[in-house]
Amino acid sequence: MKRLTSCDIVILLMVVALTCFGVVMVYSASSVMAAKKYHDGFYFLKRQGLFALVGFSIMYGVMQIDYHIWKKLAVPALIGCLVLMVLVLIPGIGGSAGGAARWIRFPGFSLQPSEVAKIALILYMAYSLEKKQDRVKFFSSGFLPYMVVLAVLLLLLLKQPDLGAALTLGAVAVIMLFAAGTRPTYLISMFLLALPFLYFLVMNVDYRRRRVLAFLNPWEDPANSGFQIIQSWLAFGAGGVLGQGLGEGKQKLFYLPEAHTDFILSVVGEELGFIGVLLIASMFFLLVWRSIRVALATEDIFGRFLAFGIAVLLGIEAFVNMGVVTGLLPTKGLALPFISYGGSSLLITLFAMGILLNISSRMRGTP
């Protein structure tokens, strides 16, 4: 209990509130679809509720562990993650859905290695950046090794394929390197070199190209590639300022695809209105802001980069998801942390929050 009372209470409250709110919204967004598909309107509610309880237990357990132990586990965690990402590509071990092999199936649960990769990369980079803080400005010893590790992870992700997770990992790595003092010229050069490959990955794959075109003009193909974002806009528009009321949304009734997963914020907008969406966005902003303050107040370099990496990951995932469902970014399969339905995402996120809360309980002073 000591860790529970000495950690950053604001972060703890935001995590608990967002997770519990997510369980409620998953039920609201999925009950009708679950009743038709599984003959049980509580199907997704029971699973998400169980994921939340297990996740809270994991978070509480990790809160009790001195975060310095993750230094010893950083490299094994990265190697283990690479093994999982190879296994997911092996037929019979990896599970496929919609043409993508992204899951390892277990009885009653599917593990998504790309979620593990996010925290594994942050652990490794925090561990390595502490060791190389005086060499991070050099290309061969301070920049290139990270690009090699990142390239291996990205190639395995693209093989699944999971471009969204690949871009997320790339962004986290670049921001952490920039914060560590890597020369901006290295990062800019890498970005310019990556642009042709990114263009090829998007424009040479039909469904990705259609997503970009739908982002530019969804009304050109409103019944196919533009359908999802148009339905999302209709949900936000119907919600107005105060919303239709919890459980009263109509777009989730087989109009809006992925209503309980990637586009759950659209259901929030329809049922709780602009006020509800603004509240959720504010909670994420507060959570990321407090996490960055924890990083700044942490005494050692490893803890500082570990907390900062977790804060950056949360911020990117929340910002991208909100941008996608409002039409500010092309459609990409990234879940809204804590709120979207999904076991791997929620469990790994709460695991990361446990690390962050342990760091906050050991930092100098109060942020």
Side-chain angles (χ1 to χ4, degrees), residues 229-252:
I229 188 58
I230 291 174
Q231 298 304 312
S232 180
W233 285 340
L234 290 173
F236 284 115
V241 176
L242 299 177
Q244 300 289 318
L246 185 62
E248 299 299 320
K250 302 298 187 295
Q251 290 302 114
K252 65 190 180 186

mmCIF file with all atom_site columns, all heavy atoms in Angstrom, residues 229-252:
data_model
loop_
_atom_site.group_PDB
_atom_site.id
_atom_site.type_symbol
_atom_site.label_atom_id
_atom_site.label_alt_id
_atom_site.label_comp_id
_atom_site.label_asym_id
_atom_site.label_entity_id
_atom_site.label_seq_id
_atom_site.pdbx_PDB_ins_code
_atom_site.Cartn_x
_atom_site.Cartn_y
_atom_site.Cartn_z
_atom_site.occupancy
_atom_site.B_iso_or_equiv
_atom_site.pdbx_formal_charge
_atom_site.auth_seq_id
_atom_site.auth_comp_id
_atom_site.auth_asym_id
_atom_site.auth_atom_id
_atom_site.pdbx_PDB_model_num
ATOM 1   N N   . ILE A 1 229 ? -15.241 6.711  -42.267 1.00 0.00 ? 229 ILE A N   1
ATOM 2   C CA  . ILE A 1 229 ? -15.035 8.057  -41.731 1.00 0.00 ? 229 ILE A CA  1
ATOM 3   C C   . ILE A 1 229 ? -16.311 8.885  -41.858 1.00 0.00 ? 229 ILE A C   1
ATOM 4   O O   . ILE A 1 229 ? -16.612 9.719  -40.984 1.00 0.00 ? 229 ILE A O   1
ATOM 5   C CB  . ILE A 1 229 ? -13.843 8.758  -42.429 1.00 0.00 ? 229 ILE A CB  1
ATOM 6   C CG1 . ILE A 1 229 ? -13.524 10.082 -41.719 1.00 0.00 ? 229 ILE A CG1 1
ATOM 7   C CG2 . ILE A 1 229 ? -14.111 8.995  -43.898 1.00 0.00 ? 229 ILE A CG2 1
ATOM 8   C CD1 . ILE A 1 229 ? -13.198 9.956  -40.264 1.00 0.00 ? 229 ILE A CD1 1
ATOM 9   N N   . ILE A 1 230 ? -17.103 8.658  -42.891 1.00 0.00 ? 230 ILE A N   1
ATOM 10  C CA  . ILE A 1 230 ? -18.379 9.371  -43.023 1.00 0.00 ? 230 ILE A CA  1
ATOM 11  C C   . ILE A 1 230 ? -19.320 8.987  -41.890 1.00 0.00 ? 230 ILE A C   1
ATOM 12  O O   . ILE A 1 230 ? -19.965 9.853  -41.282 1.00 0.00 ? 230 ILE A O   1
ATOM 13  C CB  . ILE A 1 230 ? -19.019 9.085  -44.401 1.00 0.00 ? 230 ILE A CB  1
ATOM 14  C CG1 . ILE A 1 230 ? -18.197 9.748  -45.513 1.00 0.00 ? 230 ILE A CG1 1
ATOM 15  C CG2 . ILE A 1 230 ? -20.464 9.580  -44.437 1.00 0.00 ? 230 ILE A CG2 1
ATOM 16  C CD1 . ILE A 1 230 ? -18.654 9.399  -46.915 1.00 0.00 ? 230 ILE A CD1 1
ATOM 17  N N   . GLN A 1 231 ? -19.379 7.689  -41.572 1.00 0.00 ? 231 GLN A N   1
ATOM 18  C CA  . GLN A 1 231 ? -20.218 7.249  -40.460 1.00 0.00 ? 231 GLN A CA  1
ATOM 19  C C   . GLN A 1 231 ? -19.718 7.817  -39.132 1.00 0.00 ? 231 GLN A C   1
ATOM 20  O O   . GLN A 1 231 ? -20.513 8.125  -38.233 1.00 0.00 ? 231 GLN A O   1
ATOM 21  C CB  . GLN A 1 231 ? -20.265 5.718  -40.400 1.00 0.00 ? 231 GLN A CB  1
ATOM 22  C CG  . GLN A 1 231 ? -20.874 5.060  -41.625 1.00 0.00 ? 231 GLN A CG  1
ATOM 23  C CD  . GLN A 1 231 ? -22.281 5.570  -41.921 1.00 0.00 ? 231 GLN A CD  1
ATOM 24  O OE1 . GLN A 1 231 ? -23.124 5.652  -41.033 1.00 0.00 ? 231 GLN A OE1 1
ATOM 25  N NE2 . GLN A 1 231 ? -22.527 5.913  -43.183 1.00 0.00 ? 231 GLN A NE2 1
ATOM 26  N N   . SER A 1 232 ? -18.409 7.954  -39.014 1.00 0.00 ? 232 SER A N   1
ATOM 27  C CA  . SER A 1 232 ? -17.842 8.550  -37.798 1.00 0.00 ? 232 SER A CA  1
ATOM 28  C C   . SER A 1 232 ? -18.262 10.005 -37.679 1.00 0.00 ? 232 SER A C   1
ATOM 29  O O   . SER A 1 232 ? -18.655 10.471 -36.596 1.00 0.00 ? 232 SER A O   1
ATOM 30  C CB  . SER A 1 232 ? -16.312 8.433  -37.833 1.00 0.00 ? 232 SER A CB  1
ATOM 31  O OG  . SER A 1 232 ? -15.726 9.004  -36.675 1.00 0.00 ? 232 SER A OG  1
ATOM 32  N N   . TRP A 1 233 ? -18.196 10.734 -38.794 1.00 0.00 ? 233 TRP A N   1
ATOM 33  C CA  . TRP A 1 233 ? -18.635 12.139 -38.780 1.00 0.00 ? 233 TRP A CA  1
ATOM 34  C C   . TRP A 1 233 ? -20.117 12.252 -38.422 1.00 0.00 ? 233 TRP A C   1
ATOM 35  O O   . TRP A 1 233 ? -20.515 13.150 -37.673 1.00 0.00 ? 233 TRP A O   1
ATOM 36  C CB  . TRP A 1 233 ? -18.382 12.776 -40.136 1.00 0.00 ? 233 TRP A CB  1
ATOM 37  C CG  . TRP A 1 233 ? -16.944 13.088 -40.396 1.00 0.00 ? 233 TRP A CG  1
ATOM 38  C CD1 . TRP A 1 233 ? -15.950 13.227 -39.478 1.00 0.00 ? 233 TRP A CD1 1
ATOM 39  C CD2 . TRP A 1 233 ? -16.341 13.307 -41.679 1.00 0.00 ? 233 TRP A CD2 1
ATOM 40  N NE1 . TRP A 1 233 ? -14.758 13.510 -40.102 1.00 0.00 ? 233 TRP A NE1 1
ATOM 41  C CE2 . TRP A 1 233 ? -14.971 13.566 -41.453 1.00 0.00 ? 233 TRP A CE2 1
ATOM 42  C CE3 . TRP A 1 233 ? -16.823 13.299 -42.987 1.00 0.00 ? 233 TRP A CE3 1
ATOM 43  C CZ2 . TRP A 1 233 ? -14.087 13.823 -42.485 1.00 0.00 ? 233 TRP A CZ2 1
ATOM 44  C CZ3 . TRP A 1 233 ? -15.934 13.555 -44.025 1.00 0.00 ? 233 TRP A CZ3 1
ATOM 45  C CH2 . TRP A 1 233 ? -14.584 13.823 -43.780 1.00 0.00 ? 233 TRP A CH2 1
ATOM 46  N N   . LEU A 1 234 ? -20.916 11.341 -38.963 1.00 0.00 ? 234 LEU A N   1
ATOM 47  C CA  . LEU A 1 234 ? -22.347 11.350 -38.646 1.00 0.00 ? 234 LEU A CA  1
ATOM 48  C C   . LEU A 1 234 ? -22.580 11.127 -37.149 1.00 0.00 ? 234 LEU A C   1
ATOM 49  O O   . LEU A 1 234 ? -23.485 11.724 -36.559 1.00 0.00 ? 234 LEU A O   1
ATOM 50  C CB  . LEU A 1 234 ? -23.074 10.277 -39.457 1.00 0.00 ? 234 LEU A CB  1
ATOM 51  C CG  . LEU A 1 234 ? -23.204 10.535 -40.973 1.00 0.00 ? 234 LEU A CG  1
ATOM 52  C CD1 . LEU A 1 234 ? -23.792 9.315  -41.662 1.00 0.00 ? 234 LEU A CD1 1
ATOM 53  C CD2 . LEU A 1 234 ? -24.068 11.766 -41.236 1.00 0.00 ? 234 LEU A CD2 1
ATOM 54  N N   . ALA A 1 235 ? -21.750 10.267 -36.555 1.00 0.00 ? 235 ALA A N   1
ATOM 55  C CA  . ALA A 1 235 ? -21.870 10.017 -35.115 1.00 0.00 ? 235 ALA A CA  1
ATOM 56  C C   . ALA A 1 235 ? -21.556 11.279 -34.320 1.00 0.00 ? 235 ALA A C   1
ATOM 57  O O   . ALA A 1 235 ? -22.310 11.660 -33.409 1.00 0.00 ? 235 ALA A O   1
ATOM 58  C CB  . ALA A 1 235 ? -20.947 8.874  -34.703 1.00 0.00 ? 235 ALA A CB  1
ATOM 59  N N   . PHE A 1 236 ? -20.465 11.931 -34.661 1.00 0.00 ? 236 PHE A N   1
ATOM 60  C CA  . PHE A 1 236 ? -20.101 13.168 -33.960 1.00 0.00 ? 236 PHE A CA  1
ATOM 61  C C   . PHE A 1 236 ? -21.163 14.241 -34.171 1.00 0.00 ? 236 PHE A C   1
ATOM 62  O O   . PHE A 1 236 ? -21.527 14.975 -33.241 1.00 0.00 ? 236 PHE A O   1
ATOM 63  C CB  . PHE A 1 236 ? -18.731 13.680 -34.434 1.00 0.00 ? 236 PHE A CB  1
ATOM 64  C CG  . PHE A 1 236 ? -17.566 12.918 -33.872 1.00 0.00 ? 236 PHE A CG  1
ATOM 65  C CD1 . PHE A 1 236 ? -16.733 12.184 -34.705 1.00 0.00 ? 236 PHE A CD1 1
ATOM 66  C CD2 . PHE A 1 236 ? -17.284 12.942 -32.518 1.00 0.00 ? 236 PHE A CD2 1
ATOM 67  C CE1 . PHE A 1 236 ? -15.650 11.476 -34.203 1.00 0.00 ? 236 PHE A CE1 1
ATOM 68  C CE2 . PHE A 1 236 ? -16.202 12.238 -31.990 1.00 0.00 ? 236 PHE A CE2 1
ATOM 69  C CZ  . PHE A 1 236 ? -15.384 11.503 -32.846 1.00 0.00 ? 236 PHE A CZ  1
ATOM 70  N N   . GLY A 1 237 ? -21.648 14.337 -35.418 1.00 0.00 ? 237 GLY A N   1
ATOM 71  C CA  . GLY A 1 237 ? -22.662 15.348 -35.714 1.00 0.00 ? 237 GLY A CA  1
ATOM 72  C C   . GLY A 1 237 ? -23.953 15.111 -34.957 1.00 0.00 ? 237 GLY A C   1
ATOM 73  O O   . GLY A 1 237 ? -24.583 16.043 -34.443 1.00 0.00 ? 237 GLY A O   1
ATOM 74  N N   . ALA A 1 238 ? -24.365 13.840 -34.852 1.00 0.00 ? 238 ALA A N   1
ATOM 75  C CA  . ALA A 1 238 ? -25.601 13.516 -34.142 1.00 0.00 ? 238 ALA A CA  1
ATOM 76  C C   . ALA A 1 238 ? -25.473 13.789 -32.647 1.00 0.00 ? 238 ALA A C   1
ATOM 77  O O   . ALA A 1 238 ? -26.448 14.116 -31.970 1.00 0.00 ? 238 ALA A O   1
ATOM 78  C CB  . ALA A 1 238 ? -25.966 12.053 -34.374 1.00 0.00 ? 238 ALA A CB  1
ATOM 79  N N   . GLY A 1 239 ? -24.255 13.646 -32.133 1.00 0.00 ? 239 GLY A N   1
ATOM 80  C CA  . GLY A 1 239 ? -24.045 13.863 -30.704 1.00 0.00 ? 239 GLY A CA  1
ATOM 81  C C   . GLY A 1 239 ? -24.128 15.312 -30.286 1.00 0.00 ? 239 GLY A C   1
ATOM 82  O O   . GLY A 1 239 ? -24.555 15.615 -29.168 1.00 0.00 ? 239 GLY A O   1
ATOM 83  N N   . GLY A 1 240 ? -23.725 16.211 -31.169 1.00 0.00 ? 240 GLY A N   1
ATOM 84  C CA  . GLY A 1 240 ? -23.768 17.630 -30.836 1.00 0.00 ? 240 GLY A CA  1
ATOM 85  C C   . GLY A 1 240 ? -22.930 17.959 -29.615 1.00 0.00 ? 240 GLY A C   1
ATOM 86  O O   . GLY A 1 240 ? -21.860 17.390 -29.399 1.00 0.00 ? 240 GLY A O   1
ATOM 87  N N   . VAL A 1 241 ? -23.427 18.853 -28.801 1.00 0.00 ? 241 VAL A N   1
ATOM 88  C CA  . VAL A 1 241 ? -22.673 19.310 -27.627 1.00 0.00 ? 241 VAL A CA  1
ATOM 89  C C   . VAL A 1 241 ? -22.830 18.352 -26.449 1.00 0.00 ? 241 VAL A C   1
ATOM 90  O O   . VAL A 1 241 ? -21.850 17.988 -25.794 1.00 0.00 ? 241 VAL A O   1
ATOM 91  C CB  . VAL A 1 241 ? -23.124 20.730 -27.212 1.00 0.00 ? 241 VAL A CB  1
ATOM 92  C CG1 . VAL A 1 241 ? -22.412 21.164 -25.933 1.00 0.00 ? 241 VAL A CG1 1
ATOM 93  C CG2 . VAL A 1 241 ? -22.831 21.719 -28.334 1.00 0.00 ? 241 VAL A CG2 1
ATOM 94  N N   . LEU A 1 242 ? -24.042 17.912 -26.180 1.00 0.00 ? 242 LEU A N   1
ATOM 95  C CA  . LEU A 1 242 ? -24.316 17.117 -24.977 1.00 0.00 ? 242 LEU A CA  1
ATOM 96  C C   . LEU A 1 242 ? -24.523 15.636 -25.257 1.00 0.00 ? 242 LEU A C   1
ATOM 97  O O   . LEU A 1 242 ? -24.559 14.837 -24.324 1.00 0.00 ? 242 LEU A O   1
ATOM 98  C CB  . LEU A 1 242 ? -25.530 17.685 -24.241 1.00 0.00 ? 242 LEU A CB  1
ATOM 99  C CG  . LEU A 1 242 ? -25.394 19.127 -23.749 1.00 0.00 ? 242 LEU A CG  1
ATOM 100 C CD1 . LEU A 1 242 ? -26.686 19.584 -23.102 1.00 0.00 ? 242 LEU A CD1 1
ATOM 101 C CD2 . LEU A 1 242 ? -24.224 19.250 -22.778 1.00 0.00 ? 242 LEU A CD2 1
ATOM 102 N N   . GLY A 1 243 ? -24.701 15.239 -26.513 1.00 0.00 ? 243 GLY A N   1
ATOM 103 C CA  . GLY A 1 243 ? -24.852 13.835 -26.858 1.00 0.00 ? 243 GLY A CA  1
ATOM 104 C C   . GLY A 1 243 ? -26.283 13.338 -26.782 1.00 0.00 ? 243 GLY A C   1
ATOM 105 O O   . GLY A 1 243 ? -27.169 13.991 -26.235 1.00 0.00 ? 243 GLY A O   1
ATOM 106 N N   . GLN A 1 244 ? -26.486 12.133 -27.316 1.00 0.00 ? 244 GLN A N   1
ATOM 107 C CA  . GLN A 1 244 ? -27.803 11.509 -27.328 1.00 0.00 ? 244 GLN A CA  1
ATOM 108 C C   . GLN A 1 244 ? -28.129 10.800 -26.014 1.00 0.00 ? 244 GLN A C   1
ATOM 109 O O   . GLN A 1 244 ? -29.268 10.406 -25.784 1.00 0.00 ? 244 GLN A O   1
ATOM 110 C CB  . GLN A 1 244 ? -27.871 10.489 -28.469 1.00 0.00 ? 244 GLN A CB  1
ATOM 111 C CG  . GLN A 1 244 ? -27.637 11.074 -29.853 1.00 0.00 ? 244 GLN A CG  1
ATOM 112 C CD  . GLN A 1 244 ? -28.793 11.934 -30.308 1.00 0.00 ? 244 GLN A CD  1
ATOM 113 O OE1 . GLN A 1 244 ? -29.954 11.582 -30.105 1.00 0.00 ? 244 GLN A OE1 1
ATOM 114 N NE2 . GLN A 1 244 ? -28.485 13.062 -30.926 1.00 0.00 ? 244 GLN A NE2 1
ATOM 115 N N   . GLY A 1 245 ? -27.128 10.601 -25.193 1.00 0.00 ? 245 GLY A N   1
ATOM 116 C CA  . GLY A 1 245 ? -27.314 9.861  -23.948 1.00 0.00 ? 245 GLY A CA  1
ATOM 117 C C   . GLY A 1 245 ? -26.593 8.525  -24.009 1.00 0.00 ? 245 GLY A C   1
ATOM 118 O O   . GLY A 1 245 ? -26.530 7.893  -25.069 1.00 0.00 ? 245 GLY A O   1
ATOM 119 N N   . LEU A 1 246 ? -26.040 8.088  -22.885 1.00 0.00 ? 246 LEU A N   1
ATOM 120 C CA  . LEU A 1 246 ? -25.291 6.836  -22.835 1.00 0.00 ? 246 LEU A CA  1
ATOM 121 C C   . LEU A 1 246 ? -26.177 5.661  -23.259 1.00 0.00 ? 246 LEU A C   1
ATOM 122 O O   . LEU A 1 246 ? -27.264 5.457  -22.716 1.00 0.00 ? 246 LEU A O   1
ATOM 123 C CB  . LEU A 1 246 ? -24.763 6.607  -21.416 1.00 0.00 ? 246 LEU A CB  1
ATOM 124 C CG  . LEU A 1 246 ? -23.842 5.396  -21.226 1.00 0.00 ? 246 LEU A CG  1
ATOM 125 C CD1 . LEU A 1 246 ? -22.578 5.545  -22.051 1.00 0.00 ? 246 LEU A CD1 1
ATOM 126 C CD2 . LEU A 1 246 ? -23.484 5.218  -19.753 1.00 0.00 ? 246 LEU A CD2 1
ATOM 127 N N   . GLY A 1 247 ? -25.698 4.917  -24.254 1.00 0.00 ? 247 GLY A N   1
ATOM 128 C CA  . GLY A 1 247 ? -26.439 3.771  -24.755 1.00 0.00 ? 247 GLY A CA  1
ATOM 129 C C   . GLY A 1 247 ? -27.439 4.093  -25.842 1.00 0.00 ? 247 GLY A C   1
ATOM 130 O O   . GLY A 1 247 ? -28.047 3.182  -26.408 1.00 0.00 ? 247 GLY A O   1
ATOM 131 N N   . GLU A 1 248 ? -27.624 5.386  -26.157 1.00 0.00 ? 248 GLU A N   1
ATOM 132 C CA  . GLU A 1 248 ? -28.655 5.799  -27.106 1.00 0.00 ? 248 GLU A CA  1
ATOM 133 C C   . GLU A 1 248 ? -28.130 6.036  -28.519 1.00 0.00 ? 248 GLU A C   1
ATOM 134 O O   . GLU A 1 248 ? -28.877 6.468  -29.389 1.00 0.00 ? 248 GLU A O   1
ATOM 135 C CB  . GLU A 1 248 ? -29.338 7.081  -26.609 1.00 0.00 ? 248 GLU A CB  1
ATOM 136 C CG  . GLU A 1 248 ? -30.047 6.935  -25.269 1.00 0.00 ? 248 GLU A CG  1
ATOM 137 C CD  . GLU A 1 248 ? -31.160 5.908  -25.332 1.00 0.00 ? 248 GLU A CD  1
ATOM 138 O OE1 . GLU A 1 248 ? -31.872 5.865  -26.348 1.00 0.00 ? 248 GLU A OE1 1
ATOM 139 O OE2 . GLU A 1 248 ? -31.304 5.129  -24.372 1.00 0.00 ? 248 GLU A OE2 1
ATOM 140 N N   . GLY A 1 249 ? -26.858 5.776  -28.754 1.00 0.00 ? 249 GLY A N   1
ATOM 141 C CA  . GLY A 1 249 ? -26.286 6.016  -30.075 1.00 0.00 ? 249 GLY A CA  1
ATOM 142 C C   . GLY A 1 249 ? -26.863 5.086  -31.129 1.00 0.00 ? 249 GLY A C   1
ATOM 143 O O   . GLY A 1 249 ? -27.237 3.943  -30.836 1.00 0.00 ? 249 GLY A O   1
ATOM 144 N N   . LYS A 1 250 ? -26.915 5.547  -32.370 1.00 0.00 ? 250 LYS A N   1
ATOM 145 C CA  . LYS A 1 250 ? -27.478 4.764  -33.476 1.00 0.00 ? 250 LYS A CA  1
ATOM 146 C C   . LYS A 1 250 ? -26.403 4.229  -34.419 1.00 0.00 ? 250 LYS A C   1
ATOM 147 O O   . LYS A 1 250 ? -26.610 3.202  -35.063 1.00 0.00 ? 250 LYS A O   1
ATOM 148 C CB  . LYS A 1 250 ? -28.461 5.627  -34.278 1.00 0.00 ? 250 LYS A CB  1
ATOM 149 C CG  . LYS A 1 250 ? -29.608 6.199  -33.457 1.00 0.00 ? 250 LYS A CG  1
ATOM 150 C CD  . LYS A 1 250 ? -30.489 5.120  -32.866 1.00 0.00 ? 250 LYS A CD  1
ATOM 151 C CE  . LYS A 1 250 ? -31.724 5.699  -32.189 1.00 0.00 ? 250 LYS A CE  1
ATOM 152 N NZ  . LYS A 1 250 ? -31.387 6.522  -31.008 1.00 0.00 ? 250 LYS A NZ  1
ATOM 153 N N   . GLN A 1 251 ? -25.263 4.910  -34.532 1.00 0.00 ? 251 GLN A N   1
ATOM 154 C CA  . GLN A 1 251 ? -24.249 4.503  -35.503 1.00 0.00 ? 251 GLN A CA  1
ATOM 155 C C   . GLN A 1 251 ? -23.644 3.140  -35.182 1.00 0.00 ? 251 GLN A C   1
ATOM 156 O O   . GLN A 1 251 ? -23.157 2.447  -36.070 1.00 0.00 ? 251 GLN A O   1
ATOM 157 C CB  . GLN A 1 251 ? -23.139 5.555  -35.588 1.00 0.00 ? 251 GLN A CB  1
ATOM 158 C CG  . GLN A 1 251 ? -23.558 6.858  -36.250 1.00 0.00 ? 251 GLN A CG  1
ATOM 159 C CD  . GLN A 1 251 ? -24.080 6.626  -37.656 1.00 0.00 ? 251 GLN A CD  1
ATOM 160 O OE1 . GLN A 1 251 ? -25.253 6.833  -37.947 1.00 0.00 ? 251 GLN A OE1 1
ATOM 161 N NE2 . GLN A 1 251 ? -23.224 6.169  -38.545 1.00 0.00 ? 251 GLN A NE2 1
ATOM 162 N N   . LYS A 1 252 ? -23.668 2.761  -33.922 1.00 0.00 ? 252 LYS A N   1
ATOM 163 C CA  . LYS A 1 252 ? -23.126 1.455  -33.539 1.00 0.00 ? 252 LYS A CA  1
ATOM 164 C C   . LYS A 1 252 ? -24.031 0.307  -33.982 1.00 0.00 ? 252 LYS A C   1
ATOM 165 O O   . LYS A 1 252 ? -23.631 -0.864 -33.905 1.00 0.00 ? 252 LYS A O   1
ATOM 166 C CB  . LYS A 1 252 ? -22.950 1.405  -32.018 1.00 0.00 ? 252 LYS A CB  1
ATOM 167 C CG  . LYS A 1 252 ? -24.282 1.490  -31.267 1.00 0.00 ? 252 LYS A CG  1
ATOM 168 C CD  . LYS A 1 252 ? -24.064 1.684  -29.791 1.00 0.00 ? 252 LYS A CD  1
ATOM 169 C CE  . LYS A 1 252 ? -25.399 1.771  -29.046 1.00 0.00 ? 252 LYS A CE  1
ATOM 170 N NZ  . LYS A 1 252 ? -25.218 2.089  -27.630 1.00 0.00 ? 252 LYS A NZ  1
#
